[in-house]
Amino acid sequence: MPEQRVVLRNCGLIDPGSIESYLARDGFQALQKARNQMKPQDVVQEVKRSGLRGRGGAGFPTGLKWELAARSPGKERYVICNADEGEVGTFKDRYIIQGDPFGLIEGIAIACYAIGASRAYLYLRAEYHYLAGHIIRALEQARAKGFIGNGCEIELREGAGAYVCGEESALMESIEGKRGEVRYRPPFPPEHGLWWEPTIINNVETLMNIPPIVLNGAEWFSRIGTEQSKGTKVFSVSGDVERPGVYELAMGTALRELVEALAGGRDTKAVQVGGASGRVLPAAKLDTPLAFEAVLGAGAVMVFDGSRSMVELARQNIEFFAEESCGKCVPCREGNQVLLHLLTRMLRGDGKEADLGVIGELSEVMMVASLCGLGQAAPNSVVDTLEHFNTEYKALVHS
């Protein structure tokens, strides 16, 4: 199945440093259509009808989020573009920003118009600092043409390298100048977000879908994908493949098409979909559809061939989460440390059979009791490798 490019429609086809090349490919026509021919609530309803769901992993309906923010009382409303692409194995947002910054700016501007926000923040991860000048130049060109400014200002903010700031409430804390820690919820951002005002937070890929939806209509978009997963999805493919890179496919495409036909995977043993916090699928499940109703996540697809240890994969993921936990809640802060200790001991040859039960039970507790998505999803690779590659664990323990 060939790629179907909606989000990546301009990547490689325009000069990302020149707004003129973007304008030559219908650039900012969707923004002009929204402002001149549609009321803000009409834009919100169009996004709702499209069936677009957040591409950051959680899959919350985008139009519903916008509607909640537009209806919530407040002195000000804010739009935040989450470009804190910290998930292991994910590099699609970087590719989008490098290839089509104007499409992202247009999506942000339409979101501002739809919910009545006069200010937006583009939150860029610290490791992407080299893209800051690229974004600022694009903002300056859009401002000079009158597409932003005059009631719709977009400001670049940079993070400090914390994985947890990819979580929306920690991201808001960071923008407000505080330590990046998750907030207790409810309330949720569309009601009380940035500086306690109504706020929508969408990631780069989600906002890139907005201009084509407004320009072509919700019906056009909803014809792509599956019943519950409309549109396309952009994937970052890495690992044991011949052609690693960024690919865009219609929702519902089989994982096998992406891994084998496009990326050139051979002798595939397992695939982790969604980054370090994603699900691990054995080769027998390569026909699983890439959709919210099956398996999806943030878009990272890491492929492992027969030479890889699944226990080591789980240990490396937990080591990452133990380092990146903000420490606010006990299940995540302590749970990751204990899991790391047990998995390391097992790989060292000192594992005990009872450890397998402890690892499974602790993983379940973390998934239920952790405060935010980091702690809740951290044990995913442990749980999945325990299920699908149990013999590898048993080979490392003794009674």
Side-chain angles (χ1 to χ4, degrees), residues 213-360:
I213 287 173
V214 171
L215 200 59
N216 301 312
E219 214 173 290
W220 163 80
F221 186 83
S222 66
R223 286 197 294 265
I224 306 169
T226 70
E227 187 63 32
Q228 298 178 44
S229 305
K230 304 297 186 184
T232 61
K233 183 76 185 77
V234 183
F235 298 96
S236 315
V237 185
S238 60
D240 298 317
V241 294
E242 295 176 358
R243 295 178 292 277
V246 178
Y247 299 91
E248 183 174 5
L249 297 168
M251 289 277 208
T253 301
L255 177 60
R256 187 182 303 278
E257 291 289 329
L258 177 62
V259 170
E260 295 183 350
L262 289 174
R266 299 289 183 270
D267 184 33
T268 299
K269 177 179 181 178
V271 180
Q272 187 164 22
V273 182
S277 63
R279 311 307 310 213
V280 178
L281 301 178
K285 292 184 176 291
L286 279 179
D287 291 317
T288 300
L290 291 162
F292 289 112
E293 54 265 44
V295 61
L296 196 61
V301 174
M302 296 181 287
V303 183
F304 304 93
D305 66 19
S307 68
R308 308 296 179 176
S309 163
M310 293 296 101
V311 183
E312 175 60 21
L313 166 64
R315 192 204 66 79
Q316 288 179 1
N317 287 337
I318 293 300
E319 182 179 36
F320 172 78
F321 288 117
E323 172 69 24
E324 292 295 342
S325 173
C326 76
K328 187 168 184 175
C329 74
V330 174
C332 176
R333 183 184 69 231
E334 303 301 328
N336 278 303
Q337 293 293 343
V338 174
L339 283 179
L340 178 59
H341 168 73
L342 292 172
L343 291 169
T344 301
R345 187 171 73 179
M346 190 174 294
L347 285 161
R348 203 170 51 222
D350 298 327
K352 301 176 181 178
E353 192 169 348
D355 291 345
L356 296 179
V358 175
I359 289 171

Side-chain angles (χ1 to χ4, degrees), residues 14 74 87-88 104 114 119 130 132 139 167 172 196 213 245 253 257 272 308 327 351 362 367 377 381 397:
I14 67 167
E87 188 58 71
V88 175
L104 179 58
R119 180 167 292 275
Y130 64 92
L139 289 170
E167 196 277 336
M172 291 187 293
W196 216 240
I213 287 173
T253 301
E257 291 289 329
Q272 187 164 22
R308 308 296 179 176
L362 178 56
M367 296 170 86
S381 62
V397 301

Side-chain angles (χ1 to χ4, degrees), residues 359-387:
I359 289 171
E361 290 177 14
L362 178 56
S363 296
E364 290 180 15
V365 170
M366 290 174 62
M367 296 170 86
V368 172
S370 294
L371 182 58
C372 82
L374 188 156
Q376 293 164 10
N380 278 344
S381 62
V382 178
V383 171
D384 290 343
T385 53
L386 266 173
E387 178 185 353

